[in-house]
Amino acid sequence: MNLFDVYPLYNVTPTKANGMYIYDDKNEKFLDLYGGHAVISIGHGNPYYIKKLTEQMKKISFYSNAIQNPLQKELAKKLTQYSKCEDYNLFMCSSGAEAIENALKLASFYNKKSRVIAFKNSFHGRTSAAVAVTDNPKIISPLNAQQKVSFIKFNNIYELEFELKKGDVSSIIFESIQGVGGLDQPEEKFIKEMCLLSKKYNVCVIADEVQSGFGRSGDFFAFQKFNIKPDIITIAKGMGNGFPVGGILVNHKIKAEYGMLGTTYGGNHLACVATLAVLNELKENKLQENALKIGEYFKSKLEKIKEIIKIKGRGLMLGIEFDFNVSELRKNLIYKQKIFTGGSSNKNLIRILPPLIINKNQVDVFLKSLIIELKNEKLYNS
Ligand SMILES: Cc1ncc(COP(=O)(O)O)c(C=O)c1O
């Protein structure tokens, strides 16, 4: 059997990792500015995380959601403390897309409507409704296209109200900092007005924090910059530092009923312990504060590089835009400079999603390497 060939792969085979670094099968050391797609939050091989997971594995790793699991309750309590999101309940699942599916489904159960408003350049996952609310026709199959979705532009409140007035909209889903789409952010005024309109038209607002959550933006959740209270918040990625875990925070106004949502793996003992360990390390090592501080430092240094036409995002979720396709530049950063970076649907943009433990020296190493590689800029433009 061969692998179903859906991923274009870089020719690197990581065999171990520690902190900000990944080592390949030839023991070459790579600086990780990608975090395996924003997943590694507290760093590779964090000793506390390993200790807690190992201890839990020796006790019990998994049982179904048909039994009491006090770890889920402990996690819900700690999440309230750390995120300061009061008036929410927690439902756990195992990935970002699953969190999105549950959020959209719950909104539809709540207001008995079915159309979704999503935004241009959005990315919310690959499964049924999640991919339907993703603005990329190439990854939407005819099966997924059956969902009723309207894509509108950020910051156009008239277009939004025009759609809401039709009366069939169940939810509005948005990213406070677009990830895969290229790091664009909506204006605060628009998001605030969107929330007011959602109440007027009985529509649920879903904040997708799968990529931007758990401290990455410098706030616990990126939407908190707008001072709003979404009806549902989706979480995953950095939540587990590599352990597959996701979830939704559901506002108290949406009431649970038995059987409404469910999962075999979601909220298992290991998933809870992984997330609790992440929260502990975020706090102990002040990683959210570090994301803010290093993000500002990073931006201030990038501003001095003349080849860069735009710097987007905030905290440790940054986009560096050029006036040429960056795929060769990113290859050179990996193979010559030994630095992992991310891409996006904007082909001219490098995405920076490092573990939140990154320090100024590591930023400087990247900047030095970038400047060396940009000397070949003519090569990229040709
Ligand atoms: C904002 C956002 N939402 C949802 C998802 C889907 O998450 P997963 O890949 O865990 O299904 C992603 C993944 O990149 C994402 O960036």
PDB file of all heavy atoms in Angstrom, residues 37 95-98 100 123-126 175 179-180 208-211 236-237 351, ligand 1:
ATOM      1  N   HIS A  37       2.122  24.224  11.972  1.00  0.00           N
ATOM      2  CA  HIS A  37       0.845  24.872  11.676  1.00  0.00           C
ATOM      3  C   HIS A  37       0.156  25.400  12.939  1.00  0.00           C
ATOM      4  O   HIS A  37      -1.013  25.096  13.221  1.00  0.00           O
ATOM      5  CB  HIS A  37      -0.090  23.911  10.919  1.00  0.00           C
ATOM      6  CG  HIS A  37      -1.065  24.633  10.052  1.00  0.00           C
ATOM      7  ND1 HIS A  37      -0.687  25.307   8.927  1.00  0.00           N
ATOM      8  CD2 HIS A  37      -2.393  24.840  10.181  1.00  0.00           C
ATOM      9  CE1 HIS A  37      -1.750  25.879   8.397  1.00  0.00           C
ATOM     10  NE2 HIS A  37      -2.791  25.619   9.139  1.00  0.00           N
ATOM     11  N   SER A  95     -10.468  17.851  17.020  1.00  0.00           N
ATOM     12  CA  SER A  95      -9.750  18.623  15.995  1.00  0.00           C
ATOM     13  C   SER A  95     -10.455  19.955  15.773  1.00  0.00           C
ATOM     14  O   SER A  95     -11.585  20.171  16.251  1.00  0.00           O
ATOM     15  CB  SER A  95      -9.707  17.855  14.669  1.00  0.00           C
ATOM     16  OG  SER A  95     -10.986  17.895  14.067  1.00  0.00           O
ATOM     17  N   GLY A  96      -9.796  20.809  15.000  1.00  0.00           N
ATOM     18  CA  GLY A  96     -10.377  22.115  14.698  1.00  0.00           C
ATOM     19  C   GLY A  96     -11.637  21.999  13.859  1.00  0.00           C
ATOM     20  O   GLY A  96     -12.654  22.621  14.154  1.00  0.00           O
ATOM     21  N   ALA A  97     -11.571  21.180  12.810  1.00  0.00           N
ATOM     22  CA  ALA A  97     -12.733  21.044  11.928  1.00  0.00           C
ATOM     23  C   ALA A  97     -13.936  20.494  12.695  1.00  0.00           C
ATOM     24  O   ALA A  97     -15.072  20.933  12.485  1.00  0.00           O
ATOM     25  CB  ALA A  97     -12.392  20.125  10.754  1.00  0.00           C
ATOM     26  N   GLU A  98     -13.668  19.565  13.602  1.00  0.00           N
ATOM     27  CA  GLU A  98     -14.765  18.994  14.393  1.00  0.00           C
ATOM     28  C   GLU A  98     -15.380  20.060  15.309  1.00  0.00           C
ATOM     29  O   GLU A  98     -16.598  20.078  15.523  1.00  0.00           O
ATOM     30  CB  GLU A  98     -14.216  17.812  15.201  1.00  0.00           C
ATOM     31  CG  GLU A  98     -15.276  16.821  15.623  1.00  0.00           C
ATOM     32  CD  GLU A  98     -14.732  15.771  16.587  1.00  0.00           C
ATOM     33  OE1 GLU A  98     -13.494  15.617  16.714  1.00  0.00           O
ATOM     34  OE2 GLU A  98     -15.557  15.113  17.237  1.00  0.00           O
ATOM     35  N   ILE A 100     -15.555  23.206  14.571  1.00  0.00           N
ATOM     36  CA  ILE A 100     -16.371  24.051  13.679  1.00  0.00           C
ATOM     37  C   ILE A 100     -17.706  23.359  13.368  1.00  0.00           C
ATOM     38  O   ILE A 100     -18.768  23.989  13.418  1.00  0.00           O
ATOM     39  CB  ILE A 100     -15.616  24.349  12.358  1.00  0.00           C
ATOM     40  CG1 ILE A 100     -14.266  25.021  12.631  1.00  0.00           C
ATOM     41  CG2 ILE A 100     -16.475  25.158  11.387  1.00  0.00           C
ATOM     42  CD1 ILE A 100     -14.302  26.422  13.132  1.00  0.00           C
ATOM     43  N   PHE A 123     -10.764  30.335   6.304  1.00  0.00           N
ATOM     44  CA  PHE A 123     -10.456  28.891   6.336  1.00  0.00           C
ATOM     45  C   PHE A 123     -10.960  28.348   7.659  1.00  0.00           C
ATOM     46  O   PHE A 123     -10.577  28.832   8.723  1.00  0.00           O
ATOM     47  CB  PHE A 123      -8.950  28.613   6.200  1.00  0.00           C
ATOM     48  CG  PHE A 123      -8.662  27.126   6.154  1.00  0.00           C
ATOM     49  CD1 PHE A 123      -8.616  26.451   4.938  1.00  0.00           C
ATOM     50  CD2 PHE A 123      -8.493  26.396   7.333  1.00  0.00           C
ATOM     51  CE1 PHE A 123      -8.401  25.070   4.902  1.00  0.00           C
ATOM     52  CE2 PHE A 123      -8.272  25.018   7.299  1.00  0.00           C
ATOM     53  CZ  PHE A 123      -8.228  24.364   6.074  1.00  0.00           C
ATOM     54  N   HIS A 124     -11.812  27.291   7.591  1.00  0.00           N
ATOM     55  CA  HIS A 124     -12.350  26.730   8.826  1.00  0.00           C
ATOM     56  C   HIS A 124     -12.216  25.216   8.892  1.00  0.00           C
ATOM     57  O   HIS A 124     -12.780  24.597   9.791  1.00  0.00           O
ATOM     58  CB  HIS A 124     -13.818  27.139   8.991  1.00  0.00           C
ATOM     59  CG  HIS A 124     -14.014  28.624   9.095  1.00  0.00           C
ATOM     60  ND1 HIS A 124     -13.608  29.357  10.191  1.00  0.00           N
ATOM     61  CD2 HIS A 124     -14.552  29.529   8.224  1.00  0.00           C
ATOM     62  CE1 HIS A 124     -13.901  30.645  10.005  1.00  0.00           C
ATOM     63  NE2 HIS A 124     -14.479  30.770   8.822  1.00  0.00           N
ATOM     64  N   GLY A 125     -11.535  24.588   7.925  1.00  0.00           N
ATOM     65  CA  GLY A 125     -11.334  23.147   8.020  1.00  0.00           C
ATOM     66  C   GLY A 125     -11.764  22.418   6.768  1.00  0.00           C
ATOM     67  O   GLY A 125     -12.180  23.030   5.780  1.00  0.00           O
ATOM     68  N   ARG A 126     -11.675  21.100   6.819  1.00  0.00           N
ATOM     69  CA  ARG A 126     -11.828  20.268   5.614  1.00  0.00           C
ATOM     70  C   ARG A 126     -13.063  19.380   5.622  1.00  0.00           C
ATOM     71  O   ARG A 126     -13.335  18.704   4.637  1.00  0.00           O
ATOM     72  CB  ARG A 126     -10.617  19.344   5.505  1.00  0.00           C
ATOM     73  CG  ARG A 126      -9.301  20.083   5.454  1.00  0.00           C
ATOM     74  CD  ARG A 126      -8.873  20.242   4.050  1.00  0.00           C
ATOM     75  NE  ARG A 126      -7.651  21.011   3.945  1.00  0.00           N
ATOM     76  CZ  ARG A 126      -7.054  21.252   2.810  1.00  0.00           C
ATOM     77  NH1 ARG A 126      -7.553  20.774   1.697  1.00  0.00           N
ATOM     78  NH2 ARG A 126      -5.966  21.964   2.769  1.00  0.00           N
ATOM     79  N   GLU A 175     -12.850  34.649  11.660  1.00  0.00           N
ATOM     80  CA  GLU A 175     -11.535  34.581  12.309  1.00  0.00           C
ATOM     81  C   GLU A 175     -11.117  36.020  12.632  1.00  0.00           C
ATOM     82  O   GLU A 175     -11.139  36.868  11.743  1.00  0.00           O
ATOM     83  CB  GLU A 175     -10.494  33.989  11.358  1.00  0.00           C
ATOM     84  CG  GLU A 175     -10.715  32.556  10.944  1.00  0.00           C
ATOM     85  CD  GLU A 175     -10.007  32.251   9.612  1.00  0.00           C
ATOM     86  OE1 GLU A 175     -10.614  32.486   8.546  1.00  0.00           O
ATOM     87  OE2 GLU A 175      -8.850  31.807   9.641  1.00  0.00           O
ATOM     88  N   GLY A 179      -6.040  33.002   9.261  1.00  0.00           N
ATOM     89  CA  GLY A 179      -4.819  32.195   9.242  1.00  0.00           C
ATOM     90  C   GLY A 179      -4.417  31.841   7.831  1.00  0.00           C
ATOM     91  O   GLY A 179      -3.659  32.569   7.175  1.00  0.00           O
ATOM     92  N   VAL A 180      -4.976  30.744   7.343  1.00  0.00           N
ATOM     93  CA  VAL A 180      -4.641  30.248   5.998  1.00  0.00           C
ATOM     94  C   VAL A 180      -4.879  31.335   4.936  1.00  0.00           C
ATOM     95  O   VAL A 180      -4.141  31.454   3.965  1.00  0.00           O
ATOM     96  CB  VAL A 180      -5.474  28.970   5.692  1.00  0.00           C
ATOM     97  CG1 VAL A 180      -5.227  28.484   4.278  1.00  0.00           C
ATOM     98  CG2 VAL A 180      -5.158  27.871   6.701  1.00  0.00           C
ATOM     99  N   ASP A 208     -13.906  31.814  15.482  1.00  0.00           N
ATOM    100  CA  ASP A 208     -13.011  30.679  15.237  1.00  0.00           C
ATOM    101  C   ASP A 208     -11.620  31.021  15.780  1.00  0.00           C
ATOM    102  O   ASP A 208     -10.878  31.796  15.187  1.00  0.00           O
ATOM    103  CB  ASP A 208     -12.945  30.370  13.737  1.00  0.00           C
ATOM    104  CG  ASP A 208     -12.079  29.147  13.449  1.00  0.00           C
ATOM    105  OD1 ASP A 208     -11.411  28.655  14.377  1.00  0.00           O
ATOM    106  OD2 ASP A 208     -12.056  28.687  12.287  1.00  0.00           O
ATOM    107  N   GLU A 209     -11.300  30.435  16.935  1.00  0.00           N
ATOM    108  CA  GLU A 209     -10.005  30.678  17.585  1.00  0.00           C
ATOM    109  C   GLU A 209      -9.105  29.451  17.486  1.00  0.00           C
ATOM    110  O   GLU A 209      -8.185  29.283  18.278  1.00  0.00           O
ATOM    111  CB  GLU A 209     -10.241  31.059  19.060  1.00  0.00           C
ATOM    112  CG  GLU A 209     -10.926  32.398  19.241  1.00  0.00           C
ATOM    113  CD  GLU A 209      -9.994  33.592  19.034  1.00  0.00           C
ATOM    114  OE1 GLU A 209      -8.764  33.406  19.021  1.00  0.00           O
ATOM    115  OE2 GLU A 209     -10.514  34.718  18.866  1.00  0.00           O
ATOM    116  N   VAL A 210      -9.398  28.595  16.507  1.00  0.00           N
ATOM    117  CA  VAL A 210      -8.621  27.354  16.350  1.00  0.00           C
ATOM    118  C   VAL A 210      -7.130  27.675  16.188  1.00  0.00           C
ATOM    119  O   VAL A 210      -6.271  27.040  16.799  1.00  0.00           O
ATOM    120  CB  VAL A 210      -9.155  26.536  15.153  1.00  0.00           C
ATOM    121  CG1 VAL A 210      -8.166  25.452  14.719  1.00  0.00           C
ATOM    122  CG2 VAL A 210     -10.504  25.907  15.515  1.00  0.00           C
ATOM    123  N   GLN A 211      -6.820  28.693  15.374  1.00  0.00           N
ATOM    124  CA  GLN A 211      -5.416  29.032  15.140  1.00  0.00           C
ATOM    125  C   GLN A 211      -4.940  30.172  16.040  1.00  0.00           C
ATOM    126  O   GLN A 211      -3.810  30.172  16.508  1.00  0.00           O
ATOM    127  CB  GLN A 211      -5.229  29.415  13.659  1.00  0.00           C
ATOM    128  CG  GLN A 211      -3.789  29.588  13.287  1.00  0.00           C
ATOM    129  CD  GLN A 211      -3.526  29.580  11.794  1.00  0.00           C
ATOM    130  OE1 GLN A 211      -2.626  30.246  11.337  1.00  0.00           O
ATOM    131  NE2 GLN A 211      -4.273  28.823  11.018  1.00  0.00           N
ATOM    132  N   ALA A 236      -8.674  24.639  19.279  1.00  0.00           N
ATOM    133  CA  ALA A 236      -7.924  23.398  18.937  1.00  0.00           C
ATOM    134  C   ALA A 236      -6.434  23.764  18.880  1.00  0.00           C
ATOM    135  O   ALA A 236      -5.974  24.598  19.679  1.00  0.00           O
ATOM    136  CB  ALA A 236      -8.409  22.803  17.609  1.00  0.00           C
ATOM    137  N   LYS A 237      -5.690  23.183  17.950  1.00  0.00           N
ATOM    138  CA  LYS A 237      -4.269  23.483  17.695  1.00  0.00           C
ATOM    139  C   LYS A 237      -3.432  23.701  18.967  1.00  0.00           C
ATOM    140  O   LYS A 237      -3.079  22.746  19.642  1.00  0.00           O
ATOM    141  CB  LYS A 237      -4.160  24.677  16.748  1.00  0.00           C
ATOM    142  CG  LYS A 237      -4.581  24.331  15.317  1.00  0.00           C
ATOM    143  CD  LYS A 237      -4.168  25.430  14.372  1.00  0.00           C
ATOM    144  CE  LYS A 237      -4.740  25.253  12.990  1.00  0.00           C
ATOM    145  NZ  LYS A 237      -4.108  24.226  12.208  1.00  0.00           N
ATOM    146  N   ARG A 351       4.166  33.045   6.398  1.00  0.00           N
ATOM    147  CA  ARG A 351       3.415  33.049   7.652  1.00  0.00           C
ATOM    148  C   ARG A 351       4.327  32.612   8.794  1.00  0.00           C
ATOM    149  O   ARG A 351       5.032  31.605   8.693  1.00  0.00           O
ATOM    150  CB  ARG A 351       2.221  32.105   7.534  1.00  0.00           C
ATOM    151  CG  ARG A 351       1.170  32.379   8.557  1.00  0.00           C
ATOM    152  CD  ARG A 351      -0.210  32.027   8.077  1.00  0.00           C
ATOM    153  NE  ARG A 351      -0.289  30.780   7.351  1.00  0.00           N
ATOM    154  CZ  ARG A 351      -1.122  29.792   7.669  1.00  0.00           C
ATOM    155  NH1 ARG A 351      -1.916  29.916   8.714  1.00  0.00           N
ATOM    156  NH2 ARG A 351      -1.188  28.707   6.939  1.00  0.00           N
TER     157      ARG A 351
HETATM  158  C1  LIG B   1      -8.903  29.032  11.710  1.00  0.00           C
HETATM  159  C2  LIG B   1      -8.961  27.546  11.517  1.00  0.00           C
HETATM  160  N1  LIG B   1     -10.109  26.895  11.784  1.00  0.00           N
HETATM  161  C3  LIG B   1     -10.208  25.557  11.647  1.00  0.00           C
HETATM  162  C4  LIG B   1      -9.134  24.797  11.217  1.00  0.00           C
HETATM  163  C5  LIG B   1      -9.274  23.300  11.077  1.00  0.00           C
HETATM  164  O1  LIG B   1      -8.539  22.668  12.062  1.00  0.00           O
HETATM  165  P1  LIG B   1      -8.068  21.127  11.885  1.00  0.00           P
HETATM  166  O2  LIG B   1      -7.022  21.121  10.827  1.00  0.00           O
HETATM  167  O3  LIG B   1      -7.569  20.750  13.252  1.00  0.00           O
HETATM  168  O4  LIG B   1      -9.271  20.355  11.498  1.00  0.00           O
HETATM  169  C6  LIG B   1      -7.930  25.430  10.925  1.00  0.00           C
HETATM  170  C7  LIG B   1      -6.766  24.658  10.447  1.00  0.00           C
HETATM  171  O5  LIG B   1      -5.821  25.162   9.918  1.00  0.00           O
HETATM  172  C8  LIG B   1      -7.829  26.835  11.082  1.00  0.00           C
HETATM  173  O6  LIG B   1      -6.708  27.493  10.801  1.00  0.00           O
END
